[in-house]
Amino acid sequence: MPARRILPPPPCIWPSWEALMAEALAEAGRAAAQGEVPVGAVLVSAQGAILGRGRNSPETSHDPTAHAEIRALREAGLQSGNYRLDGTVLIVTLEPCLMCVGAMIHARIAGLVYGAPDPLAGAVDSLLDGLDPPFSSRRIWRLGGVAEEHCAALLRDFFSRRRKPSAPRRADKAQNLLRRGEHGH
C-alpha cells in the first residue's frame, strides 16, 4: 500500500489554497491582456508573504524561458538575495513544464500547488513525474486541481478567441478576386 501524502494547509494568513490561486489567476489575466498565454504564478513563504509574482511573457520578451513560474522564482531570488528558496510554495494556474520543474528543484522550494493539468507539456502528473528525479534527494510536495475549472476556462477562452477566423486580409481578398476573374475596374 503506497504511503499517503499529507499535504500542508495554506500559510496561516491565507484562508485557503484557492485564495492564493486567485493571486496567480490575477497574474494570468495580466498575461492574457498582453496577448500571452494566460498562466500566472506566485511564490509564497511559509508565513504566507508573497515573495515573487510571475506571468507568461515569452512572446513579448522574446525569451523562451519567460514562463510564469520562472519569473516568480527569479523575482523571489532577487528579493531574498538567494536562489535557494527553502520552505516556499509555488502556486501556478497550469501544471508546470519540465523546464519549470527543473527550476523548482534547483530553487529548493517545498511545495507546488497548480490549477489545471497540462496534457501537452505537464511534467508533474500529466506526462511524467518530474518532481521525483533519481538524481535529487529533495522531494517537492504537490497539490493539483486547485480552482481547476477557473484556470482551465481562462486558457480555453484565450485559445478560442485566438482561433476565431479574423476578417480576410487585404491580400487574401485580392487573391480571391483574381481567382474569380473580378478585377475591380
Side-chain angles (χ1 to χ4, degrees), residues 6-65:
I6 298 174
L7 300 173
C12 62
I13 64 170
W14 294 94
S16 65
W17 289 118
E18 288 79 4
L20 276 161
M21 186 61 76
E23 295 289 325
L25 281 161
E27 291 297 322
R30 291 181 188 101
Q34 294 177 330
E36 297 280 358
V37 175
V39 178
V42 293
L43 187 78
V44 298
S45 69
Q47 296 74 34
I50 295 177
L51 304 175
R53 293 176 179 273
R55 60 183 172 270
N56 267 13
S57 66
E59 302 261 347
T60 54
S61 67
H62 311 292
D63 178 358
T65 68

Side-chain angles (χ1 to χ4, degrees), residues 21 24-25 28 38-41 91-95 113-116 151-152 154-155:
M21 186 61 76
L25 281 161
V39 178
I91 297 92
V92 61
T93 57
L94 182 65
E95 179 184 0
V113 175
Y114 70 88
C151 296
L154 190 61
L155 289 159

Side-chain angles (χ1 to χ4, degrees), residues 109-126:
I109 69 168
L112 167 68
V113 175
Y114 70 88
D118 184 351
L120 300 176
V124 175
D125 291 314
S126 294

